């Protein structure tokens, strides 16, 4: 197996560049390593017992969940000066990851087969985030059309929707990601996973923060959980990334929006046609009908 570069091309001929490895599609990385090497480095990562992982399909609320999780691990509602991407396994070199001081809270969009395998023996805690695929599709479209350099994509929503539904996009199909992880977690009950849902976090952030705190076994007061929920609310976190964390990626966005685009449940209604919504509903019924997971969204 080796890596190749190609374009995902929508019906209108607009393209997103991806690196293909082992049937998986990766966007360009800021580090100069192939996806093959990165996948193998991460699979074989030297894991420490207190490492915590946030796992998600892209645009499911990874930044948000990572911020909450790292605050809980540090038992504070103070912002940490580093941005989440510094801790993303997919785009950080092994040398940098190995050099980080503990406790480390990582994030990743990798599939099980390239997830650090030592976790199976060491029992690390993994927080997995889920979000309505309709909102995920819109959020990924915002990312690929909004960034200047990461994808250079200029497609129309209707063409993007078809491409996204087909799974020929960076990180492949949302359905494949969810189903593959579900299967692997079923076969590896030793993995210690807590599921959080974007929609639930929006509805009851304090309860969700408390749930993560209890999963992590952190002695964090209800008051601190409430402070963390507030500090990680959409407006405050967006402000923190812009002022305090110096959102370097912001310069990479055409209109300076950054990763904190809208932060809402149901923005898909402003984008999807009735027919697109029905097609995704049908796909969801066909593919997730036998799913053992209960999601917090209504399609
Ligand atoms: P939108 O594009 O719908 O606004 P990820 O971190 O996985 O890349 O996900 C990014 C999505 O999460 C974006 O969605 C972003 O606005 C949203 N998001 C980030 N922080 C959030 C918060 N504190 N509350 C709600 N949504 C948040």
């Amino acid at each position: 197996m080796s890596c190749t570069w190609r374009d995902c091309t929508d019906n209108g001929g607009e393209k997103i560049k991806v690196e293909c490895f082992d049937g998986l599609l990766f966007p360009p990385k800021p580090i100069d390593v192939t996806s093959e090497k990165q996948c193998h480095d991460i699979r074989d990562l030297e894991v420490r017992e207190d490492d915590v992982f946030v796992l998600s399909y892209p645009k499911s609320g990874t930044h948000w969940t990572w911020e909450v999780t790292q605050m809980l691990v540090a038992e504070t509602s103070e912002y940490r000066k580093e941005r989440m991407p510094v801790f993303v396994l997919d785009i950080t070199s092994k040398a940098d990851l190995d050099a980080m001081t503990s406790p480390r809270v990582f994030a990743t969009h990798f599939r099980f087969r390239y997830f650090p395998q030592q976790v199976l023996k060491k029992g690390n805690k993994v927080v997995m985030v889920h979000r309505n695929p309709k909102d995920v599709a819109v959020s990924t479209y915002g990312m690929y059309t909004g960034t200047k350099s990461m994808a250079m994509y200029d497609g129309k929503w209707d063409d993007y929707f078809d491409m996204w539904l087909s799974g020929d996009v960076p990180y492949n199909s949302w359905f494949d990601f969810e189903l593959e992880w579900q299967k692997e977690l079923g076969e590896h009950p030793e993995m210690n996973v807590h599921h959080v849902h974007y929609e639930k976090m929006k509805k009851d952030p304090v309860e969700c923060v408390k749930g993560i705190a209890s999963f992590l076994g952190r002695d964090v007061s209800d008051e601190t959980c409430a402070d963390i929920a507030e500090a990680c609310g959409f407006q405050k976190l967006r402000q923190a990334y812009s002022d305090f964390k110096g959102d370097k990626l912001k310069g990479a966005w055409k209109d300076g929006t950054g990763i904190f685009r809208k932060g809402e449940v149901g923005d898909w209604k402003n984008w999807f046609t009735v027919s697109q919504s029905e097609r995704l509903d049908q796909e969801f019924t066909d593919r997730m009908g036998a799913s053992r997971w209960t999601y917090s969204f209504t399609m």
Side-chain angles (χ1 to χ4, degrees):
M1 255 182 298
S2 63
C3 294
T4 49
W5 284 94
R6 74 164 173 85
D7 292 324
C8 299
T9 307
D10 71 17
N11 295 333
E14 295 292 332
K15 301 169 192 315
I16 298 179
K17 188 177 178 190
V18 287
E19 192 179 17
C20 322
F21 169 64
D22 190 15
L24 302 171
L25 307 178
F26 300 95
K29 288 183 282 309
I31 49 170
D32 189 20
V33 292
T34 63
S35 288
E36 179 175 18
K37 171 149 171 47
Q38 191 67 9
C39 284
H40 290 158
D41 280 354
I42 298 310
R43 181 196 60 193
D44 301 335
L45 190 75
E46 197 57 42
V47 169
R48 302 175 199 156
E49 260 148 40
D50 58 355
D51 288 339
V52 175
F53 298 82
V54 173
L55 167 67
S56 64
Y57 186 84
K59 315 312 288 178
S60 299
T62 324
H63 284 71
W64 185 10
T65 311
W66 180 85
E67 292 289 343
V68 166
T69 304
Q70 66 84 20
M71 281 185 183
L72 286 170
V73 165
E75 300 183 1
T76 175
S77 57
E78 297 292 316
Y79 297 111
R80 164 176 198 149
K81 76 173 184 334
E82 296 92 347
R83 299 165 304 115
M84 185 211 73
V86 174
F87 300 91
V88 174
L89 299 175
D90 319 17
I91 55 169
T92 310
S93 74
K94 182 180 176 311
D96 285 350
L97 294 168
D98 286 343
M100 284 176 184
T101 52
S102 292
R104 304 181 297 184
V105 179
F106 294 129
T108 185
H109 307 307
F110 275 3
R111 299 290 177 89
F112 173 81
R113 60 191 184 278
Y114 295 117
F115 194 80
Q117 297 294 302
Q118 284 187 11
V119 166
L120 296 174
K121 291 221 169 65
K122 297 194 172 167
N124 299 73
K125 300 203 163 141
V126 180
V127 180
M128 184 169 192
V129 201
H130 309 274
R131 187 182 190 189
N132 185 332
K134 291 181 178 173
D135 281 329
V136 169
V138 170
S139 187
T140 55
Y141 178 70
M143 169 120 174
Y144 295 128
T145 51
T147 44
K148 283 185 214 154
S149 56
M150 280 172 72
M152 306 250 274
Y153 176 67
D154 228 358
K156 296 196 174 67
W157 161 253
D158 288 348
D159 294 330
Y160 178 77
F161 173 79
D162 289 342
M163 189 165 68
W164 190 83
L165 195 56
S166 78
D168 196 36
V169 285
Y171 285 105
N172 307 70
S173 148
W174 179 91
F175 294 96
D176 290 348
F177 178 90
E178 293 285 316
L179 287 168
E180 198 173 302
W181 267 105
Q182 186 175 121
K183 174 176 164 292
E184 295 294 352
L185 292 180
E187 287 169 11
H188 297 280
E190 68 276 30
M191 270 194 79
N192 200 356
V193 180
H194 176 72
H195 297 271
V196 299
H197 298 265
Y198 186 98
E199 295 75 16
K200 248 191 202 161
M201 289 207 290
K202 282 295 281 190
K203 200 165 169 205
D204 203 345
V206 179
E207 275 316 301
C208 288
V209 172
K210 284 188 194 167
I212 300 172
S214 147
F215 169 67
L216 295 173
R218 293 284 152 173
D219 188 17
V220 181
S221 68
D222 286 358
E223 197 187 344
T224 304
C225 285
D227 289 346
I228 290 175
E230 197 188 329
C232 293
F234 182 74
Q235 296 299 349
K236 290 223 162 140
L237 204 52
R238 171 149 79 173
Q239 201 63 43
Y241 266 68
S242 160
D243 299 348
F244 176 80
K245 289 177 183 261
D247 191 353
K248 288 196 194 116
L249 276 182
K250 237 182 157 181
W253 290 69
K254 288 175 192 161
D255 62 359
T257 319
I259 210 96
F260 299 89
R261 190 187 62 91
K262 220 161 177 186
E264 288 175 4
V265 171
D267 186 40
W268 66 267
K269 291 176 189 148
N270 297 315
W271 294 83
F272 277 57
T273 62
V274 171
S275 149
Q276 286 166 345
S277 176
E278 285 172 355
R279 280 172 62 202
L280 192 35
D281 288 348
Q282 191 60 54
E283 187 83 0
F284 193 87
T285 306
D286 293 348
R287 299 209 55 198
M288 309 303 284
S291 168
R292 292 189 310 278
W293 287 349
T294 311
Y295 293 101
S296 302
F297 49 78
T298 37
M299 294 289 286

